Amino acid sequence: MRVGILTGGGDCPGLNAVIRAVVRKGERHFGDDLLGYRDGWRGVMEDDFMILDVESLRGTLPRGGTILGTSRVQPYMFDDGVAKVHQTIADQKLDGLVAIGGEGTLSCANELFRDGVPVVGVPKTIDNDIGATERTFGFDTAVSIATDAIDRLHTTAESHNRVMVVEVMGRHVGHIATWAGLAGGATVTLIPEEPFDIGEVCDSLSRRHEKGRYASIVVVAEGAKPLEGTLEIAADEYDQFGHIRLGGIANRVAAEIEVRTGYETRVTILGHVQRGGSPTAFDRVLSSRFGIAAIDAVHDRAFGEMVALQANQIVRVPLAEAIADLKPVSDEMWQTAKEFFA
Ligand code: F6P
């Protein structure tokens, strides 16, 4: 078979491990020709690719980012975008495409599948918010980075008797915040799923400090929102692809904590540090399993499907089902995290 691979949306540790696995089994087991498309769907529309083989993938397993490049460009943004995808498939005699991406890339893959494109999806995002899979690769790495940062913030917070507000990624869901907050011993964690009351946050900090503890860590997901009418925040901004642009709620929360409690407060916004660098062992393994399952799916002509992790087994689910709903933090996880607050 001739199989194209692309990585779309925000980058994520583990992308290269997926590509490597697809190529490994594709070439060694099936005797496939593998074409790596540059910058996501842009590369497919413009037939901009590099030949991938086992030799060219050497050394990529521990490498962060994506050797193919990525973008948020999608065929449906252009009048002739879908036609160009079909043209590339015809010109290159492609039997299938493996699209590795998050919500945006997989939604596009689903529409393209309905428009006749033979595509299989692989779920990627540090946010871990894709429904139908218990895990996306990249999440474990992001949680490790955030936890390490929180551990470091504890020691400086304790030395100075300060409140540290640390902002982690998570636009719509708070998986990273909840996990890193739990792993790092946060005093309180704020997530998009649970609008917060800044008054309650400050009260819990005060209660803790009155008991003789003078340092606290507040973990805030970038998409965390105050309960309506409790705290003014800046209006949402959107990027050119219609994605909400966040990053800054921590500043607002910290300012309010300082004013209301009088405790000296500092802010750390982790930002893209969470997406960079080498994937953890867990993410390398999950990425490799997804990659192997994706090339198997192409050979089974299971187009319109996405590989997923369920009960620690790799399964296939329809793309339409996978993108239907974002996966929020479960009640069990949130209740567990809350037991450790303040
Ligand atoms: O979806 C992954 C993610 O890292 C989000 O957590 C974050 O809000 C967003 O991407 C940032 O996107 P960009 O790289 O375009 O700033």
Side-chain angles (χ1 to χ4, degrees):
M1 276 187 162
R2 281 173 70 77
V3 181
I5 309 169
L6 65 118
T7 54
D11 74 334
C12 177
L15 284 167
N16 292 325
V18 179
I19 298 166
R20 172 179 173 270
V22 172
V23 171
R24 182 93 182 183
K25 186 154 187 187
E27 181 185 312
R28 291 274 168 91
H29 186 94
F30 294 116
D32 292 338
D33 294 324
L34 289 313
L35 285 66
Y37 281 94
R38 295 191 177 91
D39 306 334
W41 296 112
R42 182 203 66 77
V44 182
M45 284 189 290
E46 295 172 15
D47 200 11
D48 180 7
F49 68 92
M50 59 175 95
I51 296 291
L52 297 175
D53 56 25
V54 171
E55 205 46 47
S56 66
L57 270 295
R58 292 234 180 270
T60 54
L61 177 61
R63 228 169 103 184
T66 162
I67 56 159
L68 296 178
T70 185
S71 75
R72 291 204 160 102
V73 171
Q74 294 188 6
Y76 293 97
M77 291 170 175
F78 309 92
D79 291 341
D80 57 352
V82 179
K84 282 179 157 178
V85 170
H86 280 293
Q87 193 60 53
T88 295
I89 290 172
D91 290 349
Q92 294 298 341
K93 299 187 172 50
L94 291 179
D95 297 291
L97 279 173
V98 175
I100 313 166
E103 190 200 346
T105 306
L106 296 173
S107 299
C108 177
N110 185 45
E111 281 194 55
L112 285 168
F113 167 67
R114 290 209 196 115
D115 283 333
V117 173
V119 58
V120 162
V122 179
K124 160 247 66 155
T125 167
I126 64 163
D127 296 347
N128 196 34
D129 60 359
I130 297 185
T133 185
E134 284 162 9
R135 279 295 182 93
T136 52
F137 64 89
F139 173 66
D140 188 68
T141 306
V143 169
S144 298
I145 293 167
T147 303
D148 179 60
I150 294 169
D151 286 349
R152 289 167 191 278
L153 290 170
H154 269 293
T155 63
T156 170
E158 282 156 15
S159 305
H160 289 268
N161 292 333
R162 281 174 174 160
V163 177
M164 293 288 183
V165 179
V166 52
E167 183 177 303
V168 299
M169 280 187 169
R171 269 190 285 222
H172 307 294
V173 297
H175 293 288
I176 297 175
T178 307
W179 280 62
L182 188 52
T187 311
V188 61
T189 298
L190 311 177
I191 61 173
E193 294 94 322
E194 299 282 333
F196 65 89
D197 181 336
I198 190 69
E200 278 177 17
V201 172
C202 291
D203 287 349
S204 66
L205 293 177
S206 298
R207 278 197 302 276
R208 173 181 158 87
H209 288 224
E210 275 156 19
K211 283 187 213 144
R213 305 298 301 271
Y214 300 115
S216 292
I217 305 283
V218 179
V219 176
V220 190
E222 61 182 342
K225 293 264 185 301
L227 276 171
E228 219 178 308
T230 56
L231 183 69
E232 293 250 317
I233 53 168
D236 291 337
E237 283 180 27
Y238 292 84
D239 68 13
Q240 66 199 87
F241 303 106
H243 285 106
I244 195 164
R245 181 175 288 150
L246 297 162
I249 182 71
N251 287 317
R252 188 70 190 89
V253 167
E256 204 64 21
I257 289 173
E258 204 161 56
V259 166
R260 292 188 187 216
T261 66
Y263 305 139
E264 201 181 1
T265 305
R266 293 286 186 273
V267 176
T268 302
I269 298 179
L270 291 181
H272 291 80
V273 165
Q274 295 159 97
R275 282 211 329 232
S278 192
T280 58
F282 180 92
D283 279 337
R284 294 180 202 187
V285 171
L286 181 60
S287 299
S288 302
R289 293 173 77 193
F290 277 165
I292 296 295
I295 191 70
D296 283 343
V298 169
H299 279 266
D300 288 346
R301 299 195 168 276
F303 300 122
E305 306 249 315
M306 183 190 86
V307 297
L309 186 74
Q310 288 179 4
N312 204 27
Q313 299 297 313
I314 305 292
V315 298
R316 294 174 192 163
V317 291
L319 274 167
E321 190 185 302
I323 55 160
D325 293 304
L326 286 182
K327 182 182 65 208
V329 171
S330 71
D331 190 52
E332 180 272 322
M333 251 325 269
W334 183 239
Q335 295 308 327
T336 301
K338 274 174 69 176
E339 285 297 331
F340 297 92
F341 288 179

